[in-house]
Amino acid sequence: RSVEQLMFILRKYIENLSREAGISESDFYICSLSSKTIVYKGQLTPEQVPGYFPDLQHRLFATYMALVHSRFSTNTFPSWHRAQPMRVLGHNGEINTLRGNKNWLRAREGGMECETLGLTPEELEGLLPIVDESTSDSGAFDAVLELLHKSGRSLP
């Protein structure tokens, strides 16, 4: 397993333990746990970003790519865990088959296998659910895409 895969597994375990302890995503949310990607989140106007994240202006701060997503919630009340960007993507559309997709995934979680992550069936169970019920359409898409990527699938 790679460091990225181990950090993904650790984050999923921590999220599930916090959920089991009755801590909601609105009270506890891990933006990113990665050695390659930093995710900054804030329910901010574009003009507020430099004041909240001064390190982005530092001359030694270098990156191959940066993505800033600015959008105000149209169909859900703004919340920290639903704020863009997600861990793997920034998505601006509506996914109209959300309920069906979540149900389809939930029905298949019991038969999931992943040799790449090197987890026993019991350990793999610790990553479930892949998509939390309170997750937005973009969050659900991000969670599934992240699982595929961390288990060895390449992204375009």
Side-chain angles (χ1 to χ4, degrees):
R1 285 180 249 171
S2 72
V3 170
E4 287 297 304
Q5 290 170 327
L6 290 171
M7 294 172 97
F8 167 73
I9 292 164
L10 178 62
R11 194 195 83 239
K12 292 295 286 184
Y13 280 5
I14 292 169
E15 289 170 346
N16 287 334
L17 289 171
S18 69
R19 193 172 16 259
E20 288 170 11
I23 302 169
S24 71
E25 277 191 320
S26 59
D27 293 324
F28 176 76
Y29 181 80
I30 301 172
C31 291
S32 62
L33 190 57
S34 171
S35 64
K36 297 180 180 183
T37 304
I38 300 172
V39 175
Y40 292 89
K41 281 190 178 238
Q43 292 177 282
L44 311 167
T45 64
E47 294 78 22
Q48 291 175 304
V49 171
Y52 277 85
F53 305 117
D55 52 328
L56 296 176
Q57 301 173 60
H58 194 281
R59 65 180 182 78
L60 296 178
F61 192 90
T63 181
Y64 171 75
M65 178 179 70
L67 166 71
V68 176
H69 182 280
S70 178
R71 177 175 181 247
F72 297 94
S73 183
T74 56
N75 62 351
T76 58
F77 188 76
S79 63
W80 185 252
H81 69 283
R82 288 184 174 155
Q84 298 276 350
M86 303 299 181
R87 294 180 180 102
V88 182
L89 66 94
H91 178 258
N92 218 20
E94 298 297 324
I95 301 174
N96 297 322
T97 57
L98 181 61
R99 174 64 40 214
N101 289 343
K102 282 184 177 180
N103 289 340
W104 184 90
L105 181 62
R106 175 89 48 182
R108 284 150 184 80
E109 284 179 346
M112 279 181 31
E113 294 179 12
C114 184
E115 292 178 18
T116 309
L117 291 178
L119 299 173
T120 66
E122 294 78 25
E123 291 169 330
L124 188 59
E125 219 172 281
L127 302 183
L128 305 179
I130 300 304
V131 175
D132 183 77
E133 275 305 306
S134 68
T135 302
S136 66
D137 54 355
S138 295
F141 181 30
D142 184 73
V144 173
L145 187 61
E146 181 185 36
L147 173 66
L148 292 171
H149 181 59
K150 298 299 183 193
S151 61
R153 302 276 177 102
S154 62
L155 298 178

